[in-house]
Amino acid sequence: MMTHSLKVAALIAAPVLLAGCATTASEPVRVPVGGEGTCDATGVQDMLGSTASTATGAELMARSGATILRWVPPRTAVTMDYRANRLTVSYDDNMIIERISCG
């Protein structure tokens, strides 16, 4: 059983010991906005209304610069995490592309 003075010492030392577990970054994390592997959906908006297919997806990726393609079927929830290299394509029940965006 710990004595009162040992309990107090442990409580005082705990924040100091835990501080060694904290991580810090000298620079903020930067998300690339241009260049290789980043998505730019501005040049593929003309494909709205196209039929969603493997070939359409390949063309969208080639034209947007994305390295990840995420198809979003109707009534599907998706995560909101941002990925600079991901193209997200939403389509309706008839496989018609309704929305094309990056992230």
Side-chain angles (χ1 to χ4, degrees), residues 36-57:
E36 185 174 287
T38 58
C39 176
D40 181 1
T42 56
V44 294
Q45 296 303 310
D46 62 321
M47 294 190 72
L48 290 169
S50 299
T51 301
S53 68
T54 303
T56 304

Side-chain angles (χ1 to χ4, degrees), residues 3-92:
T3 66
H4 178 68
S5 60
L6 284 176
K7 288 179 184 177
V8 172
L11 288 173
I12 292 172
V16 174
L17 294 173
L18 290 175
C21 296
T23 59
T24 58
S26 58
E27 291 196 27
V29 175
R30 300 190 197 299
V31 177
V33 292
E36 185 174 287
T38 58
C39 176
D40 181 1
T42 56
V44 294
Q45 296 303 310
D46 62 321
M47 294 190 72
L48 290 169
S50 299
T51 301
S53 68
T54 303
T56 304
E59 183 177 350
L60 286 165
M61 289 197 46
R63 289 178 51 191
S64 69
T67 56
I68 299 171
L69 175 62
R70 175 170 63 173
W71 289 108
V72 182
R75 297 168 299 284
T76 302
V78 294
T79 61
M80 297 302 293
D81 63 314
Y82 181 82
R83 295 188 182 195
N85 62 336
R86 181 173 60 200
L87 184 68
T88 300
V89 182
S90 302
Y91 58 90
D92 66 13

